[in-house]
Amino acid sequence: MAIVDLDRDAVKNGLADGSVLLIDVREPNEFASGHIPGSVSFPLSDFDIERLQALIAADGRRPVLSCAAGVRSARALQYLQSQGIPLTEHYAGGFKDWANAGETVE
């Protein structure tokens, strides 16, 4: 299964129209120091596949993983795919791309 790299515009549009559930896999201290509005914290250090699947099922939007720069989110997708979870999309630029572009940060 392939990993799909989304750019800032795709993520921004998905958040704006309510179609994307942006799952931030950075650590809690990173998330607390700044995150993309509307994203939810789901740190890799406490990664629970069943809890992730429950979050996605309860939310109903298209899940997209995000991290600081796209490395951890891609790694998380590879792991999930190896466990039979068919998630494919992540924000390739991550929080750094978002913040450096001057987008709103919470």
Side-chain angles (χ1 to χ4, degrees):
M1 187 172 292
I3 291 176
V4 177
D5 295 337
L6 298 181
D7 63 13
R8 183 178 348 97
D9 288 337
V11 172
K12 189 175 181 177
N13 290 338
L15 288 169
D17 70 14
S19 65
V20 164
L21 168 61
L22 191 62
I23 302 168
D24 190 326
V25 299
R26 297 177 302 150
E27 293 308 305
N29 63 313
E30 293 174 281
F31 188 84
S33 68
H35 58 272
I36 297 169
S39 62
V40 296
S41 179
F42 203 93
L44 278 181
S45 62
D46 187 29
F47 212 66
D48 179 326
I49 292 176
E50 290 179 5
R51 195 167 56 90
L52 178 63
Q53 289 179 300
L55 169 68
I56 292 167
D59 188 276
R61 292 178 286 171
R62 190 174 101 230
V64 174
L65 300 188
S66 179
C67 64
V71 176
R72 286 177 281 180
S73 56
R75 191 176 310 133
L77 284 174
Q78 290 171 337
Y79 172 70
L80 289 166
Q81 290 175 7
S82 77
Q83 300 302 305
I85 310 300
L87 298 184
T88 58
E89 296 179 308
H90 81 123
Y91 179 9
F95 180 74
K96 288 180 181 178
D97 175 67
W98 185 273
N100 288 339
E103 298 291 351
T104 302
V105 171
E106 290 184 340

